[in-house]
Amino acid sequence: MVKTFVAAEHFESNVRIREVKAGGLPAAEADYTVTDLAAGEIRPERALAVMTERGGVVLHLGGLNAGEHKAMLPAFELATKTLGLTS
């Protein structure tokens, strides 16, 4: 699922996907870069995918530039650690 999400991004490259745990749940996380032709820059992005009984969930971290992405990374990591299923 995370491969499909990343493939839908425009001008993605340097894709690295790994199996992880998100709040104890099996998940896949992708780190990759996106080339923003309008801004003339390459910026990092990250996505986390988890499958549930009701379907898949993707948590995405982008940002306007590399600095904003880096500043938001702690929030993404906290969301990953505290992710869990509810009934």
Side-chain angles (χ1 to χ4, degrees):
M1 177 175 50
V2 78
K3 288 180 185 180
T4 303
F5 180 85
V6 172
E9 294 279 8
H10 296 289
F11 308 110
E12 82 283 350
S13 61
N14 302 317
V15 179
R16 186 181 66 180
I17 298 174
R18 63 192 167 284
E19 299 297 318
V20 297
K21 292 282 187 179
L25 302 171
E29 185 174 70
D31 291 311
Y32 56 101
T33 57
V34 173
T35 302
D36 185 339
L37 298 176
E41 67 182 13
I42 298 172
R43 64 178 186 271
E45 303 219 358
R46 189 176 286 194
L48 176 85
V50 178
M51 287 301 296
T52 72
E53 291 177 2
R54 295 186 175 187
V57 176
V58 175
L59 178 63
H60 174 247
L61 174 62
L64 295 175
N65 54 45
E68 185 175 69
H69 178 87
K70 185 177 179 181
M72 294 187 301
L73 195 52
F76 181 87
E77 291 169 346
L78 178 61
T80 299
K81 290 177 188 172
T82 59
L83 184 69
L85 296 176
T86 60
S87 51

